[in-house]
Each structure stands twice: as structure tokens, then as C-alpha cells.
Amino acid sequence: MPLPSPSSNWRRPAALLLCAALGGCATVVNPVTGREERTVMTEEAEIAEGRKAHQQVLQEYGAYGDARLQAYVDELGQRLAKQSHRAHLSWTFTVLDSPEINAFALPGGYVYVTRGIMAYMESEADLAGVIGHEIGHVTARHGAQRATRQQTAGLGVLAATVLGAVVGAGDLANQLSQGVAAGYVASYSREQELQADRLGAEYLARNRYSPRNMVDVIQVLKSQERYVADRARAEGRTPRQGGDWLASHPSNDQRLQEIRRIAEGYDGSGYADDGRARYLRMIEGLPFGESREQGVTRGRSFFHEPLGFVLTAPEGWRVQNRREAVALVNASGDAGLILQTVPESAGRNHDEILRKLFNPTQSRVDRRTLNGFDATHFVGTARNAQGQTRDVTATVVTGPQRRHYLLLHAGKDAAALQRARAGLREAEASFRGLVPADRDDARPWVLDLSTYPRGGYAELARRSPLPQAEAQLRLINGHYGGGEPRVGQSVKVVR
């Protein structure tokens, strides 16, 4: 449907100046609005940039290793894309092996959903709403529009958008991450996000799914926000109030109000089954939260069964597990211990690793052991390729399977590091090998299906390994704000 352009007249001179600075612009017709717009990114450039960034995304996140589920999501995505404003693109749909509640798209037709967000969808039509929203960003050329407004040389042009990710405050591992995705994921404007919601509803209707399923999708995000805020208050933390990259998205209250208005404008008849039973069968057995390959967090301990080690946070600290690192973070979120595997290219012994990683100008090293593993503690001044220096405290340890690990003491500033010194020493000393008694704790949780009992969520919670089990079971089944299924209805549980 024709939609208003998110651009305004005052942006045009800036866009023209940017075109000149980058070596010229093309004029294209936006497939959604039907209007001409100046761009630094032709369709050919979109496809090329998306193809290049796709490989980086796969390297950063990893595709979820279930061919059956991948084929299911791809088939659903292809059906939606064929009814979109850019059906001629060669679309690619990928499930990423990430517990994050997230979905995003790259220019040129590359769309991603995480297994994390799939765990919270209730039906095939809900998942279609997520995918349709991301298709909308591509069809409306939001990535190209963003590239035209901003000079993105050095980042590459990846105009990824996040449909909704709930991230806790004080996320030290993310702040220190140098991963590919960290430089790529960037928010779109409020107008672009709302336009993608509208297009998602339209693509649902074109494929005989009810546009009201877009309401369900936004409600999931709203419930996630509420759950995170409730947990923060229960733990004595201040709920996150924005101020990061998510703050430029329209609020989920605003999105919910808008998408309800749009859904009401469609004829309520003629829609196909929402595919709930089919969808639940597809996600049965899906890892919930962390996977075996990523390692699992149980309370204050982190277990990595394939690599064979355990790490435990001090009392009051918490574990943050990311693909590129594991962090044990203090209660104030301003200091922590970050564990990363050391690549083979960094060296074969501790001295060589420290020299290559830090290029030290001065240092003090201390040979020690960590629960039977050889370790070298380093305190010194590191120098980067530009000649800049910084103080570093870290330990290299040769752990199980003769793999090398770096345990880095990280903090907001020197004062934060000083305050956390005792906790950092305790966290570092917790590194140990996995023993047979740890095997049960090291197993990941998976989604299962159960019939809803007369005892309700309270009865299901008694059988669940989840912390805050009743609240989380309500959350994954769409009842965090209240209500419950019928007795005997299939619901998602975690085992």
C-alpha cells in the first residue's frame, strides 16, 4: 500500500551533500512508496553489501544446526517475500543460534531470527509477523535510506534493525565486545519501525494470516520489557529507562496502539489457520536459553561441557554469557572478569601470548596455578598498533584439552577496578575443570510440550528447572500479563 515517505524536505540538502562527498548518488523509485529518492546505495549495492555482511553475521552468531527448522523458516519467509514489494530479490532466511530475543535484516534480502525469539512466539502466524516486519525494512529500502543519511565507511553498510531485544543494564560483556555484530546492529527511526510494522501486517494479510498476529508480536516485546523491569526491581536494581540504542525505537506501547489500529482496518474474515499446532511441533526440543555449545549458566556458575571448564561468580555477582566472551560482573555493573579463548595464532606459550596480545611496554608476571592448571598473571602497560597505552591486569591459563584462555580484569575506570579487586581475585581463582558431578548442571534446557493441568502454571512450575519458573512459563506462553490456557491445551514447558 502507498505509505508516506519517512524523509522530510529539510533532510534533502544534507543527503545531496553526502552524495557529493561519497562520489555521487543515484535516483531510485522506492518500491513501497512509489516515490523517487536520492540514494548512495543502488539495488546492486544493497545486494553486494548484504551478501558480504551475511558471512560475517554467520561467523559472529552461527546458524542454528537443525536443517529441518531452517527449512521451515526459509519456506515461510519465501512465501511472505513472494507477496512483498520486492519479490524479485533472492531472499535468504536464517535461524541464528542465539538465545537473544531478536530479529534483524540486512540490505539485499537477508533476514535473521534467533532461536531465542522463536521460543516466545505462539504460532506460525506470529513468526510470520516477525519475518514480515523484517522483510518490510528491506522492501522499503530503510537500509539504503540510512546509508544515504549517514556516511558509514569503515562500518560497511549494514542497516540491520532489531525488532526487539531485551538487554539488561550494565552489560559489560556487550560493552567490551569487538564482535562483528556490535558494529553492525543500529536502530532505525521511529517512522521506519512503524512503517515496518504496517508492512508486516500487510504481508500477513497477503498470505492469509490475520494482521492481528502483529499485535501478538508487539505484545511479546512489551511483556519482555515488563518482565525485565520486574526482575530488576525484585533484585533491587533500577529498571532500564532507555538511553541506549533501543531508545530511538518507538515505545512498545506506541507500537501496540498503532498496530491495533491498523489490524482493525482489515477485513476480519478469510484468514487461514494460524498454524499454532504445526509451529509448536517444529520448536519442540529447541534449546531454551544457552546451548551446550555456548555453555550454560546455573545460578552463579558457568559450565562449558564441550570445553570442560567451570567458572563461578562471587556472591552478589552475575554471569553474562556472550558468544565472544563470558563475563562475571559485579553488582554495580562497573567491573568484572572477562574470559575469552585465546586463538592459536596468538602463540603457543604464555609469554608469547602476552607479548602478541598486549605488546607490553612494562610488565610484571607471576607464575601460578589455578586448580591444577598452569597460569601466568600479568600486570603491566599494553600498547596498541597506534602507539596508545593502557594499564592491563590479566591471567593466561592453559585449561582442559590444553586450550589457552585469557582472564581479563575489566572495569569502568581505575577506581572501579580497585573496589572490585577482591572479587576479581575470587572470580579468577574459581576457574576449574569440569568433573562428572557437574554433568547434570552442564546440560542445556530445552522446550517441551505439555497439556495444561488443572493446577495451572503453579503446578507446571513445580516440575520446572527454571528460576522464577511460574513467571517465565507465563512469559513463554503469552500470559505474563494475566490469563491462562484451557485445561488440556498444549503449552510450552522447559525441561
Side-chain angles (χ1 to χ4, degrees):
M1 69 180 79
L3 295 170
S5 170
S7 300
S8 57
N9 290 333
W10 64 266
R11 288 196 183 103
R12 187 175 299 276
L16 292 175
L17 288 173
L18 179 58
C19 290
L22 297 181
C25 283
T27 299
V28 300
V29 175
N30 188 292
V32 171
T33 66
R35 299 174 182 173
E36 288 189 349
E37 57 189 33
R38 300 282 288 174
T39 183
V40 295
M41 187 185 288
T42 63
E43 182 168 277
E44 291 76 15
E46 281 188 81
I47 293 168
E49 290 291 344
R51 184 185 303 118
K52 180 173 65 175
H54 175 64
Q55 298 305 317
Q56 295 174 298
V57 169
L58 293 181
Q59 183 177 356
E60 176 71 14
Y61 285 94
Y64 178 57
D66 184 328
R68 177 170 162 266
L69 189 67
Q70 292 284 0
Y72 171 75
V73 171
D74 182 68
E75 190 275 333
L76 177 60
Q78 297 296 344
R79 279 196 282 121
L80 291 162
K82 284 179 181 177
Q83 298 295 325
S84 77
H85 294 82
R86 301 178 76 179
H88 63 282
L89 291 177
S90 296
W91 292 84
T92 299
F93 299 89
T94 306
V95 182
L96 298 177
D97 187 15
S98 170
E100 295 175 2
I101 301 165
N102 206 349
F104 59 94
L106 309 183
Y110 294 86
V111 174
Y112 308 88
V113 296
T114 61
R115 60 174 175 79
I117 202 170
M118 291 188 69
Y120 290 86
M121 295 296 108
E122 276 292 291
S123 67
E124 183 174 282
D126 285 355
L127 179 61
V130 173
I131 295 173
H133 172 101
E134 298 306 333
I135 289 173
H137 279 299
V138 177
T139 58
R141 303 191 78 251
H142 290 162
Q145 290 169 358
R146 181 174 181 271
T148 304
R149 290 196 303 269
Q150 301 177 13
Q151 185 170 350
T152 54
L155 281 180
V157 182
L158 168 102
T161 181
V162 175
L163 174 63
V166 180
V167 182
D171 198 341
L172 187 65
N174 272 354
Q175 292 168 15
L176 295 173
S177 168
Q178 298 300 313
V180 172
Y184 284 159
V185 177
S187 61
Y188 284 134
S189 70
R190 287 173 168 82
E191 293 86 356
Q192 288 171 328
E193 287 296 335
L194 292 171
Q195 185 181 35
D197 286 344
R198 291 193 291 267
L199 288 169
E202 180 176 350
Y203 298 153
L204 283 174
R206 290 184 182 187
N207 283 271
R208 299 187 62 234
Y209 295 114
S210 171
R212 288 199 58 81
N213 286 98
M214 278 303 300
V215 177
D216 297 339
V217 170
I218 305 304
Q219 185 64 59
V220 166
L221 305 186
K222 183 173 171 59
S223 295
Q224 287 291 333
E225 284 184 339
R226 180 179 172 188
Y227 174 76
V228 169
D230 288 347
R231 290 309 311 155
R233 282 189 286 267
E235 296 168 6
R237 295 183 285 112
T238 302
R240 185 169 60 90
Q241 298 296 324
D244 59 9
W245 56 267
L246 276 175
S248 63
H249 282 210
S251 73
N252 287 324
D253 285 332
Q254 180 186 353
R255 294 174 75 176
L256 197 58
Q257 181 180 359
E258 177 70 7
I259 200 63
R260 279 175 175 158
R261 184 187 64 78
I262 291 167
E264 288 169 0
Y266 284 87
D267 182 359
S269 61
Y271 298 120
D273 173 67
D274 66 1
R276 183 178 189 271
R278 181 167 58 251
Y279 181 76
L280 293 180
R281 287 195 301 271
M282 289 303 305
I283 64 171
E284 189 174 11
L286 192 72
F288 182 79
E290 301 147 314
S291 67
R292 176 180 178 273
E293 291 73 20
Q294 294 162 342
V296 300
T297 304
R298 299 291 179 259
R300 291 187 290 115
S301 292
F302 175 78
F303 300 86
H304 204 297
E305 194 270 333
L307 297 180
F309 74 84
V310 181
L311 199 63
T312 301
E315 186 73 37
W317 290 37
R318 62 190 185 278
V319 179
Q320 292 182 348
N321 181 21
R322 298 293 178 266
R323 187 173 183 85
E324 67 283 346
V326 177
L328 307 184
V329 182
N330 67 356
S332 57
D334 60 3
L337 183 78
I338 296 181
L339 179 146
Q340 291 180 298
T341 56
V342 176
E344 292 184 6
S345 58
R348 291 174 294 180
N349 58 62
H350 294 185
D351 290 339
E352 188 178 354
I353 290 167
L354 289 169
R355 188 168 59 251
K356 285 191 175 182
L357 289 181
F358 299 125
N359 188 22
T361 59
Q362 56 182 3
S363 64
R364 184 179 73 254
V365 297
D366 175 28
R367 310 297 179 184
R368 56 180 63 172
T369 61
L370 289 179
N371 295 301
F373 297 112
D374 291 336
T376 301
H377 188 65
F378 169 95
V379 178
T381 302
R383 180 175 55 200
N384 65 16
Q386 289 73 42
Q388 298 169 318
T389 60
R390 63 186 176 97
D391 293 334
V392 170
T393 300
T395 296
V396 176
V397 58
T398 302
Q401 306 167 31
R402 302 298 299 170
R403 292 178 185 269
H404 299 305
Y405 297 90
L406 178 71
L407 300 167
L408 178 67
H409 295 211
K412 180 181 178 181
D413 50 37
L417 278 172
Q418 179 62 31
R419 290 192 298 270
R421 180 173 293 180
L424 289 166
R425 286 197 295 262
E426 181 183 343
E428 185 176 286
S430 75
F431 182 91
R432 65 175 177 83
L434 197 80
V435 297
D438 296 321
R439 299 297 176 185
D440 285 345
D441 287 328
R443 280 194 284 180
W445 295 328
V446 297
L447 286 177
D448 199 1
L449 300 180
S450 179
T451 55
Y452 193 67
R454 293 189 180 278
Y457 282 113
E459 181 178 334
L460 291 176
R462 287 194 291 271
R463 313 175 206 159
S464 176
L466 294 172
Q468 301 89 45
E470 183 169 349
Q472 290 200 61
L473 289 170
R474 284 185 170 276
L475 195 63
I476 65 174
N477 285 289
H479 294 115
Y480 188 68
E484 59 181 285
R486 301 185 311 275
V487 173
Q489 181 179 338
S490 284
V491 292
K492 290 175 280 186
V493 295
V494 175
R495 58 173 173 82

mmCIF file of all heavy atoms in Angstrom, residues 166-169 221-242 475 480:
data_model
loop_
_atom_site.group_PDB
_atom_site.id
_atom_site.type_symbol
_atom_site.label_atom_id
_atom_site.label_comp_id
_atom_site.label_asym_id
_atom_site.label_seq_id
_atom_site.Cartn_x
_atom_site.Cartn_y
_atom_site.Cartn_z
ATOM 1 N N VAL A 166 15.665 -7.573 24.467
ATOM 2 C CA VAL A 166 15.606 -7.108 25.841
ATOM 3 C C VAL A 166 16.966 -7.343 26.462
ATOM 4 O O VAL A 166 17.394 -8.474 26.635
ATOM 5 C CB VAL A 166 14.513 -7.845 26.629
ATOM 6 C CG1 VAL A 166 14.455 -7.362 28.069
ATOM 7 C CG2 VAL A 166 13.169 -7.637 25.954
ATOM 8 N N VAL A 167 17.675 -6.278 26.752
ATOM 9 C CA VAL A 167 19.049 -6.352 27.231
ATOM 10 C C VAL A 167 19.110 -5.736 28.612
ATOM 11 O O VAL A 167 18.595 -4.650 28.832
ATOM 12 C CB VAL A 167 19.999 -5.596 26.284
ATOM 13 C CG1 VAL A 167 21.439 -5.720 26.757
ATOM 14 C CG2 VAL A 167 19.870 -6.122 24.862
ATOM 15 N N GLY A 168 19.747 -6.437 29.553
ATOM 16 C CA GLY A 168 19.858 -5.919 30.910
ATOM 17 C C GLY A 168 20.833 -4.766 30.994
ATOM 18 O O GLY A 168 21.724 -4.615 30.164
ATOM 19 N N ALA A 169 20.677 -3.934 32.000
ATOM 20 C CA ALA A 169 21.587 -2.824 32.209
ATOM 21 C C ALA A 169 22.936 -3.341 32.681
ATOM 22 O O ALA A 169 23.059 -4.436 33.212
ATOM 23 C CB ALA A 169 20.992 -1.878 33.244
ATOM 24 N N LEU A 221 7.026 -8.367 22.922
ATOM 25 C CA LEU A 221 8.101 -7.437 23.268
ATOM 26 C C LEU A 221 7.730 -6.626 24.506
ATOM 27 O O LEU A 221 8.581 -6.383 25.379
ATOM 28 C CB LEU A 221 8.387 -6.503 22.095
ATOM 29 C CG LEU A 221 8.704 -7.171 20.759
ATOM 30 C CD1 LEU A 221 9.101 -6.123 19.732
ATOM 31 C CD2 LEU A 221 9.804 -8.207 20.912
ATOM 32 N N LYS A 222 6.482 -6.209 24.582
ATOM 33 C CA LYS A 222 6.029 -5.440 25.739
ATOM 34 C C LYS A 222 6.111 -6.294 27.010
ATOM 35 O O LYS A 222 6.547 -5.811 28.069
ATOM 36 C CB LYS A 222 4.602 -4.954 25.502
ATOM 37 C CG LYS A 222 4.041 -4.071 26.616
ATOM 38 C CD LYS A 222 2.698 -3.499 26.221
ATOM 39 C CE LYS A 222 2.027 -2.798 27.395
ATOM 40 N NZ LYS A 222 2.851 -1.699 27.928
ATOM 41 N N SER A 223 5.723 -7.546 26.918
ATOM 42 C CA SER A 223 5.802 -8.439 28.072
ATOM 43 C C SER A 223 7.246 -8.669 28.496
ATOM 44 O O SER A 223 7.548 -8.754 29.696
ATOM 45 C CB SER A 223 5.131 -9.780 27.755
ATOM 46 O OG SER A 223 3.745 -9.617 27.534
ATOM 47 N N GLN A 224 8.139 -8.784 27.517
ATOM 48 C CA GLN A 224 9.554 -8.948 27.834
ATOM 49 C C GLN A 224 10.082 -7.748 28.607
ATOM 50 O O GLN A 224 10.800 -7.887 29.596
ATOM 51 C CB GLN A 224 10.363 -9.137 26.551
ATOM 52 C CG GLN A 224 10.188 -10.481 25.878
ATOM 53 C CD GLN A 224 10.808 -11.610 26.689
ATOM 54 O OE1 GLN A 224 11.741 -11.397 27.436
ATOM 55 N NE2 GLN A 224 10.264 -12.800 26.525
ATOM 56 N N GLU A 225 9.735 -6.557 28.160
ATOM 57 C CA GLU A 225 10.157 -5.344 28.858
ATOM 58 C C GLU A 225 9.643 -5.339 30.294
ATOM 59 O O GLU A 225 10.380 -4.999 31.232
ATOM 60 C CB GLU A 225 9.636 -4.102 28.125
ATOM 61 C CG GLU A 225 10.392 -3.754 26.870
ATOM 62 C CD GLU A 225 9.895 -2.460 26.259
ATOM 63 O OE1 GLU A 225 8.757 -2.051 26.550
ATOM 64 O OE2 GLU A 225 10.660 -1.856 25.490
ATOM 65 N N ARG A 226 8.390 -5.710 30.452
ATOM 66 C CA ARG A 226 7.794 -5.725 31.786
ATOM 67 C C ARG A 226 8.486 -6.749 32.673
ATOM 68 O O ARG A 226 8.756 -6.487 33.853
ATOM 69 C CB ARG A 226 6.302 -6.021 31.669
ATOM 70 C CG ARG A 226 5.582 -6.058 33.008
ATOM 71 C CD ARG A 226 4.105 -6.337 32.827
ATOM 72 N NE ARG A 226 3.468 -6.567 34.119
ATOM 73 C CZ ARG A 226 2.218 -6.981 34.256
ATOM 74 N NH1 ARG A 226 1.468 -7.188 33.182
ATOM 75 N NH2 ARG A 226 1.705 -7.186 35.454
ATOM 76 N N TYR A 227 8.777 -7.925 32.127
ATOM 77 C CA TYR A 227 9.446 -8.972 32.910
ATOM 78 C C TYR A 227 10.831 -8.518 33.363
ATOM 79 O O TYR A 227 11.195 -8.691 34.538
ATOM 80 C CB TYR A 227 9.548 -10.259 32.082
ATOM 81 C CG TYR A 227 10.357 -11.345 32.755
ATOM 82 C CD1 TYR A 227 9.815 -12.084 33.813
ATOM 83 C CD2 TYR A 227 11.663 -11.632 32.350
ATOM 84 C CE1 TYR A 227 10.546 -13.080 34.441
ATOM 85 C CE2 TYR A 227 12.402 -12.623 32.975
ATOM 86 C CZ TYR A 227 11.841 -13.346 34.018
ATOM 87 O OH TYR A 227 12.575 -14.321 34.644
ATOM 88 N N VAL A 228 11.602 -7.930 32.445
ATOM 89 C CA VAL A 228 12.947 -7.462 32.789
ATOM 90 C C VAL A 228 12.867 -6.389 33.870
ATOM 91 O O VAL A 228 13.653 -6.382 34.831
ATOM 92 C CB VAL A 228 13.676 -6.931 31.536
ATOM 93 C CG1 VAL A 228 14.963 -6.202 31.914
ATOM 94 C CG2 VAL A 228 13.997 -8.088 30.591
ATOM 95 N N ALA A 229 11.915 -5.474 33.759
ATOM 96 C CA ALA A 229 11.753 -4.426 34.765
ATOM 97 C C ALA A 229 11.337 -5.015 36.114
ATOM 98 O O ALA A 229 11.847 -4.606 37.164
ATOM 99 C CB ALA A 229 10.715 -3.407 34.288
ATOM 100 N N ASP A 230 10.442 -5.995 36.089
ATOM 101 C CA ASP A 230 10.007 -6.629 37.332
ATOM 102 C C ASP A 230 11.165 -7.348 38.014
ATOM 103 O O ASP A 230 11.325 -7.285 39.245
ATOM 104 C CB ASP A 230 8.865 -7.623 37.067
ATOM 105 C CG ASP A 230 7.548 -6.943 36.718
ATOM 106 O OD1 ASP A 230 7.448 -5.713 36.916
ATOM 107 O OD2 ASP A 230 6.642 -7.643 36.236
ATOM 108 N N ARG A 231 12.007 -8.031 37.223
ATOM 109 C CA ARG A 231 13.160 -8.732 37.799
ATOM 110 C C ARG A 231 14.154 -7.739 38.377
ATOM 111 O O ARG A 231 14.743 -7.979 39.433
ATOM 112 C CB ARG A 231 13.846 -9.597 36.747
ATOM 113 C CG ARG A 231 13.073 -10.814 36.282
ATOM 114 C CD ARG A 231 12.576 -11.669 37.414
ATOM 115 N NE ARG A 231 13.602 -11.973 38.380
ATOM 116 C CZ ARG A 231 13.362 -12.271 39.661
ATOM 117 N NH1 ARG A 231 12.138 -12.259 40.117
ATOM 118 N NH2 ARG A 231 14.363 -12.549 40.477
ATOM 119 N N ALA A 232 14.363 -6.639 37.688
ATOM 120 C CA ALA A 232 15.305 -5.634 38.190
ATOM 121 C C ALA A 232 14.839 -5.097 39.540
ATOM 122 O O ALA A 232 15.627 -4.979 40.489
ATOM 123 C CB ALA A 232 15.445 -4.498 37.178
ATOM 124 N N ARG A 233 13.554 -4.785 39.645
ATOM 125 C CA ARG A 233 13.036 -4.267 40.912
ATOM 126 C C ARG A 233 13.138 -5.317 42.016
ATOM 127 O O ARG A 233 13.474 -4.997 43.168
ATOM 128 C CB ARG A 233 11.588 -3.804 40.733
ATOM 129 C CG ARG A 233 11.463 -2.438 40.043
ATOM 130 C CD ARG A 233 10.028 -1.933 40.090
ATOM 131 N NE ARG A 233 9.185 -2.672 39.162
ATOM 132 C CZ ARG A 233 8.929 -2.288 37.912
ATOM 133 N NH1 ARG A 233 9.450 -1.159 37.450
ATOM 134 N NH2 ARG A 233 8.148 -3.005 37.135
ATOM 135 N N ALA A 234 12.867 -6.578 41.685
ATOM 136 C CA ALA A 234 12.946 -7.644 42.684
ATOM 137 C C ALA A 234 14.368 -7.837 43.202
ATOM 138 O O ALA A 234 14.572 -8.253 44.342
ATOM 139 C CB ALA A 234 12.425 -8.957 42.089
ATOM 140 N N GLU A 235 15.350 -7.540 42.352
ATOM 141 C CA GLU A 235 16.754 -7.683 42.734
ATOM 142 C C GLU A 235 17.351 -6.388 43.260
ATOM 143 O O GLU A 235 18.565 -6.295 43.483
ATOM 144 C CB GLU A 235 17.559 -8.178 41.525
ATOM 145 C CG GLU A 235 17.152 -9.579 41.066
ATOM 146 C CD GLU A 235 17.740 -9.942 39.715
ATOM 147 O OE1 GLU A 235 18.558 -9.148 39.180
ATOM 148 O OE2 GLU A 235 17.376 -11.011 39.192
ATOM 149 N N GLY A 236 16.503 -5.366 43.438
ATOM 150 C CA GLY A 236 16.987 -4.112 43.982
ATOM 151 C C GLY A 236 17.706 -3.233 42.993
ATOM 152 O O GLY A 236 18.408 -2.286 43.385
ATOM 153 N N ARG A 237 17.542 -3.505 41.702
ATOM 154 C CA ARG A 237 18.159 -2.681 40.669
ATOM 155 C C ARG A 237 17.124 -1.732 40.083
ATOM 156 O O ARG A 237 15.926 -1.988 40.131
ATOM 157 C CB ARG A 237 18.749 -3.552 39.546
ATOM 158 C CG ARG A 237 19.890 -4.429 39.982
ATOM 159 C CD ARG A 237 20.485 -5.223 38.818
ATOM 160 N NE ARG A 237 19.634 -6.340 38.409
ATOM 161 C CZ ARG A 237 18.986 -6.406 37.248
ATOM 162 N NH1 ARG A 237 19.051 -5.392 36.381
ATOM 163 N NH2 ARG A 237 18.236 -7.463 36.954
ATOM 164 N N THR A 238 17.602 -0.656 39.504
ATOM 165 C CA THR A 238 16.706 0.300 38.843
ATOM 166 C C THR A 238 16.367 -0.216 37.459
ATOM 167 O O THR A 238 17.268 -0.525 36.680
ATOM 168 C CB THR A 238 17.370 1.681 38.727
ATOM 169 O OG1 THR A 238 17.707 2.135 40.033
ATOM 170 C CG2 THR A 238 16.423 2.677 38.052
ATOM 171 N N PRO A 239 15.088 -0.344 37.106
ATOM 172 C CA PRO A 239 14.730 -0.802 35.753
ATOM 173 C C PRO A 239 15.310 0.118 34.692
ATOM 174 O O PRO A 239 15.401 1.334 34.883
ATOM 175 C CB PRO A 239 13.197 -0.754 35.750
ATOM 176 C CG PRO A 239 12.811 -0.825 37.184
ATOM 177 C CD PRO A 239 13.899 -0.122 37.944
ATOM 178 N N ARG A 240 15.701 -0.473 33.578
ATOM 179 C CA ARG A 240 16.290 0.301 32.489
ATOM 180 C C ARG A 240 15.259 1.252 31.912
ATOM 181 O O ARG A 240 14.133 0.887 31.626
ATOM 182 C CB ARG A 240 16.793 -0.650 31.396
ATOM 183 C CG ARG A 240 17.527 0.025 30.261
ATOM 184 C CD ARG A 240 18.199 -1.043 29.383
ATOM 185 N NE ARG A 240 17.219 -1.952 28.818
ATOM 186 C CZ ARG A 240 16.612 -1.756 27.658
ATOM 187 N NH1 ARG A 240 16.872 -0.683 26.947
ATOM 188 N NH2 ARG A 240 15.744 -2.628 27.186
ATOM 189 N N GLN A 241 15.664 2.491 31.701
ATOM 190 C CA GLN A 241 14.751 3.520 31.171
ATOM 191 C C GLN A 241 15.158 3.986 29.776
ATOM 192 O O GLN A 241 14.847 5.076 29.369
ATOM 193 C CB GLN A 241 14.740 4.734 32.118
ATOM 194 C CG GLN A 241 14.235 4.430 33.513
ATOM 195 C CD GLN A 241 12.784 4.003 33.518
ATOM 196 O OE1 GLN A 241 11.979 4.510 32.742
ATOM 197 N NE2 GLN A 241 12.446 3.052 34.381
ATOM 198 N N GLY A 242 15.868 3.168 29.050
ATOM 199 C CA GLY A 242 16.332 3.581 27.719
ATOM 200 C C GLY A 242 17.702 4.195 27.821
ATOM 201 O O GLY A 242 18.491 3.873 28.699
ATOM 202 N N LEU A 475 5.490 -16.221 30.635
ATOM 203 C CA LEU A 475 6.092 -15.388 29.601
ATOM 204 C C LEU A 475 6.206 -16.125 28.274
ATOM 205 O O LEU A 475 5.849 -15.595 27.223
ATOM 206 C CB LEU A 475 7.478 -14.924 30.073
ATOM 207 C CG LEU A 475 8.136 -13.785 29.313
ATOM 208 C CD1 LEU A 475 7.325 -12.502 29.409
ATOM 209 C CD2 LEU A 475 9.550 -13.555 29.859
ATOM 210 N N TYR A 480 2.010 -13.508 30.552
ATOM 211 C CA TYR A 480 2.685 -12.815 31.646
ATOM 212 C C TYR A 480 1.804 -11.704 32.217
ATOM 213 O O TYR A 480 1.837 -11.435 33.412
ATOM 214 C CB TYR A 480 4.022 -12.234 31.176
ATOM 215 C CG TYR A 480 4.840 -11.684 32.327
ATOM 216 C CD1 TYR A 480 5.381 -12.543 33.278
ATOM 217 C CD2 TYR A 480 5.050 -10.319 32.476
ATOM 218 C CE1 TYR A 480 6.111 -12.057 34.349
ATOM 219 C CE2 TYR A 480 5.788 -9.820 33.543
ATOM 220 C CZ TYR A 480 6.320 -10.695 34.471
ATOM 221 O OH TYR A 480 7.043 -10.208 35.539
#
